[in-house]
Amino acid sequence: MLSLLHIENIAVIEQADISFDAGFNVLTGETGAGKSIVIDAMNAVLGGRTSRDLIRTGTTKAFVSAAFSAVPSDLPGLEECGIAPDENGELLVQRELTADGKNLCRANGRPITVAQLRRIGSELLNIHGQHDNQALLNPEKHCGYIDALADNGELKDSYYSEFKNINRIRKELQ
């Protein structure tokens, strides 16, 4: 769950911290209130495409960080990067954008690529807007929806444990 979003030098925002509570969170406001800027910052810190235009005028770099709580240790993408949530299940992802187009991405302080950040970010947060149903149409997510509906977490964990074990044995045999 996203618990804190920190934004520096994104569009017209010099610095802002936004806290999120457990449950359903909605960003509302009048036209021009800055909702889209917050969404752009979220997309940036999740590994989405960015533009130099996102950096606040008069500055050379922008920074966004997002703190997540209750992150499962087996979240897809984390192990590939050699990253794990801390002992409290918390994960901090960060992205710095520079005017020359360079990016510095980190997860729990460890440097990662934008592609790795995108992989992790796609598992951490879904941003839905009007007419936005891409996650529902993504076949890679369908098994997760079925598993969640079936409430078969223990069975799935047992299966994956045995699957890893048999793969380890196959490698030893080879």
Side-chain angles (χ1 to χ4, degrees):
M1 178 191 102
L2 177 62
S3 54
L4 178 67
L5 181 69
H6 175 78
I7 304 169
E8 292 179 21
N9 297 323
I10 298 285
V12 296
I13 298 175
E14 184 175 351
Q15 184 172 335
D17 288 317
I18 304 169
S19 296
F20 296 90
D21 293 324
F24 186 63
N25 290 274
V26 178
L27 297 176
T28 64
E30 296 180 20
T31 301
K35 301 177 298 291
S36 295
I37 297 169
V38 173
I39 297 298
D40 288 344
M42 284 182 183
N43 280 324
V45 79
L46 296 174
R49 286 196 176 273
T50 60
S51 164
R52 293 180 193 149
D53 297 336
L54 196 58
I55 300 173
R56 187 169 174 257
T57 304
T59 62
T60 58
K61 62 183 175 181
F63 178 78
V64 185
S65 68
F68 293 88
S69 59
V71 176
S73 59
D74 63 347
L75 186 82
L78 287 181
E79 188 175 328
E80 300 161 16
C81 301
I83 297 165
D86 69 11
E87 60 277 354
N88 298 319
E90 295 180 357
L91 179 70
L92 178 67
V93 292
Q94 302 170 308
R95 185 171 182 184
E96 184 176 290
L97 311 166
T98 61
D100 62 3
K102 296 189 186 209
N103 289 278
L104 177 62
C105 304
R106 295 187 178 279
N108 276 0
R110 185 181 195 134
I112 58 174
T113 66
V114 175
Q116 290 171 321
L117 180 61
R118 187 178 311 114
R119 170 87 167 102
I120 295 167
S122 70
E123 299 293 333
L124 288 171
L125 187 66
N126 276 322
I127 300 172
H128 295 281
Q130 193 172 13
H131 308 296
D132 183 16
N133 56 4
Q134 287 182 334
L136 294 174
L137 298 176
N138 184 350
E140 293 177 8
K141 303 269 186 184
H142 292 174
C143 285
Y145 297 144
I146 292 169
D147 285 337
L149 182 64
D151 193 28
N152 62 357
E154 288 181 29
L155 180 62
K156 185 178 91 169
D157 291 345
S158 174
Y159 170 81
Y160 280 124
S161 174
E162 293 300 321
F163 183 75
K164 285 180 182 178
N165 191 36
I166 199 165
N167 280 336
R168 181 187 54 77
I169 291 169
R170 281 183 182 151
K171 286 180 182 177
E172 285 179 16
L173 289 172
Q174 287 176 352

